[in-house]
Amino acid sequence: MKTETLQNLLARVMVIGVIIAAAVLVIGLAIYLPVYGDRPEGDKVFTGEPSYLRTLTPLLEHVVDAHEVGHRHAILQFGILLLLLNPLVRVAFAGIGFAIQRNTLYIVVSTIVFAALVFGFLS
């Protein structure tokens, strides 16, 4: 695989990831704003996020919930999660591309960056 081909692939991965995340966010906002858009500002008591938004499995269950066509907050949270996962996927593709090129230095660097991103997401 040529370096130019790898760069084009990584650029496509990034653009497609951002477009998918943006589409999910726009859909979430289109569902969220008609119901909650007229709420007054100034919530003085911080209540935090509901527990189902804190872990992946309940979040996905609420996104595809047929009862309410997905919970509005869950869809927005999922769009943000997709946006945040975009660099992780891009680094993984870069590491695979460098492995195909047999570029040892960049494989090591990609692996370190990937591990740091995974550690950051899980902590």
Side-chain angles (χ1 to χ4, degrees):
M1 176 183 292
K2 295 181 182 179
T3 303
E4 184 179 317
T5 306
L6 179 59
Q7 289 174 349
N8 288 336
L9 175 68
L10 294 176
R12 285 188 192 133
V13 166
M14 184 177 67
V15 169
I16 290 170
V18 169
I19 288 172
I20 290 171
V24 170
L25 285 169
V26 167
I27 291 168
L29 279 174
I31 295 170
Y32 179 85
L33 287 178
V35 175
Y36 297 106
D38 60 346
R39 269 193 174 174
E41 295 180 21
D43 184 13
K44 297 184 193 285
V45 178
F46 180 73
T47 56
E49 297 293 337
S51 62
Y52 68 85
L53 292 178
R54 295 183 195 151
T55 54
L56 185 60
T57 305
L59 173 66
L60 293 176
E61 289 172 359
H62 282 81
V63 167
V64 296
D65 184 14
H67 250 174
E68 198 180 315
V69 190
H71 292 256
R72 292 163 175 85
H73 293 27
I75 294 171
L76 291 171
Q77 190 85 356
F78 183 64
I80 292 170
L81 178 68
L82 289 175
L83 194 59
L84 290 173
L85 287 176
N86 195 18
L88 184 76
V89 171
R90 187 168 185 220
V91 170
F93 271 93
I96 293 168
F98 294 136
I100 292 170
Q101 291 180 342
R102 298 178 191 258
N103 191 334
T104 309
L105 175 64
Y106 286 126
I107 293 170
V108 170
V109 171
S110 295
T111 303
I112 292 170
V113 170
F114 185 79
L117 287 170
V118 169
F119 179 75
F121 281 116
L122 297 178
S123 63

